[in-house]
Amino acid sequence: MKIEQVLIHYLLKYKKLSLQGIGYFILEGTLPETADPNRPIIIPEGSISFTHDSKVQEDPVLVEYITEQTGKIHPLASADLDSYLMLGRQFLNIGNPFILPNIGTIEKTNSGDLIFKSGMHIADRLETNKAKIEDDGAEEHDENMFKDYQRETKNQVGKTVMVAISILIVGLIAWAVWKYAFNSETEPANVTQATYPTDTNSIPAMEGDSVNNTAPITNAVIAPPSSDGFTFKAVVNEYYSLPLAETRLANLKTYGRQVILYTSDSVIYK
């Protein structure tokens, strides 16, 4: 037997039903009697009243009644009741009504109060519960009446995961672009060959540098004097971007280096 079926029969028997975190219901008046025990119980409209009280605690008598009717142990019956009411409160928090079969409908107002709408209900007669035990000892769980809510929750979780993955991918792409741009700006192209005169003694030392005039210079080639007045040029960096080359030039000049910037083809800046 489902939790929602047990609740109406508990109310019919004890005339009061307390649900933790929600409030309590009162069954007033007498119900129409019928000689046929197989006929359902008719609950007239207006017979059930409701009082909102979020401080109501779990009713141990109700949990014991659930245990008797479902055949479940006490902790499991308590957990089932708490889960059922928790889903009901979540239903109310997202603006949907909390329907208690054969009791009525609870709705949440904008101010946070709970209002109750009753009506005429017909409840089936209570049958003695017979607990079923499968061969493997597993207990069959009750079907959850909030399937729509559960599907909605799963969809929201799925959307959240997809958004997180998208943000991660975008972040990785942005990091890769930044790293490439940063390395392009800070790591100048390697120069494989420099042009020097064969006379190593004619190489002047730049401020702060130490030149060993006796050490041979590898990959040195003879070059005729250029038309700009320089006997030779020692290429320290090459760039394919003029702004980067100008930045490097200004940086070297701050150290007192006698450096120039020139290009032979407007593609490579030396």
Side-chain angles (χ1 to χ4, degrees):
M1 179 177 291
K2 300 178 182 179
I3 292 293
E4 58 267 28
Q5 293 174 317
V6 177
L7 297 181
I8 178 58
H9 288 285
Y10 180 87
L11 180 59
L12 291 173
K13 180 178 181 179
Y14 293 98
K15 308 301 180 182
K16 182 177 180 179
L17 172 65
S18 298
L19 300 179
Q20 61 263 31
I22 295 179
Y24 54 88
F25 301 84
I26 300 295
L27 179 62
E28 302 171 347
T30 58
L31 302 179
E33 295 291 340
T34 175
D36 186 356
N38 295 322
R39 295 191 63 181
I41 302 172
I42 299 176
I43 305 174
E45 184 176 357
S47 299
I48 302 175
S49 62
F50 169 73
T51 301
H52 177 207
D53 186 356
S54 59
K55 297 181 180 180
V56 172
Q57 302 297 317
E58 181 181 84
D59 183 0
V61 180
L62 174 58
V63 176
E64 184 63 30
Y65 187 79
I66 295 173
T67 300
E68 294 174 358
Q69 299 304 321
T70 62
K72 297 181 178 180
I73 60 176
H74 190 278
L76 184 57
S78 176
D80 285 353
L81 175 63
D82 185 66
S83 298
Y84 178 80
L85 297 179
M86 180 180 65
L87 288 175
R89 290 191 295 269
Q90 291 175 344
F91 231 50
L92 293 170
N93 290 335
I94 63 175
N96 291 334
F98 179 24
I99 301 175
L100 295 167
N102 296 317
I103 295 179
T105 301
I106 301 176
E107 296 179 352
K108 189 173 185 178
T109 64
N110 293 333
S111 61
D113 295 329
L114 300 183
I115 58 175
F116 176 69
K117 295 181 180 180
S118 182
M120 186 180 72
H121 303 285
I122 301 177
D124 293 332
R125 296 282 179 174
L126 184 63
E127 297 181 359
T128 303
N129 175 72
K130 294 181 180 179
K132 296 182 180 180
I133 302 177
E134 303 293 340
D135 293 338
D136 58 357
E139 183 183 53
E140 181 179 359
H141 293 282
D142 293 335
E143 181 182 0
N144 198 312
M145 66 175 295
F146 296 104
K147 289 183 179 179
D148 292 339
Y149 174 78
Q150 290 179 329
R151 282 195 294 267
E152 180 180 350
T153 303
K154 291 179 180 179
N155 290 337
Q156 291 176 349
V157 173
K159 291 179 181 178
T160 302
V161 172
M162 292 301 297
V163 170
I165 293 176
S166 300
I167 293 175
L168 178 61
I169 293 175
V170 172
L172 290 175
I173 293 176
W175 175 83
V177 172
W178 173 85
K179 184 174 179 61
Y180 175 79
F182 179 79
N183 289 339
S184 297
E185 294 180 0
T186 58
E187 296 182 5
N190 293 328
V191 180
T192 58
Q193 178 175 318
T195 303
Y196 298 95
T198 55
D199 183 5
T200 60
N201 293 325
S202 64
I203 301 178
M206 303 179 72
E207 181 181 352
D209 287 344
S210 172
V211 178
N212 184 357
N213 291 332
T214 62
I217 300 178
T218 59
N219 295 330
V221 297
I222 300 175
S226 59
S227 60
D228 53 11
F230 289 95
T231 304
F232 71 93
K233 298 185 182 73
V235 179
V236 295
N237 293 109
E238 290 184 349
Y239 293 92
Y240 291 93
S241 170
L242 178 58
L244 291 179
E246 291 175 339
T247 301
R248 178 61 172 163
L249 177 69
N251 179 263
L252 289 174
K253 285 185 176 181
T254 60
Y255 294 100
R257 304 300 187 186
Q258 301 300 320
V259 290
I260 63 171
L261 173 65
Y262 72 97
T263 177
S264 302
D265 51 12
S266 298
V267 175
I268 300 176
Y269 297 91
K270 302 179 181 180

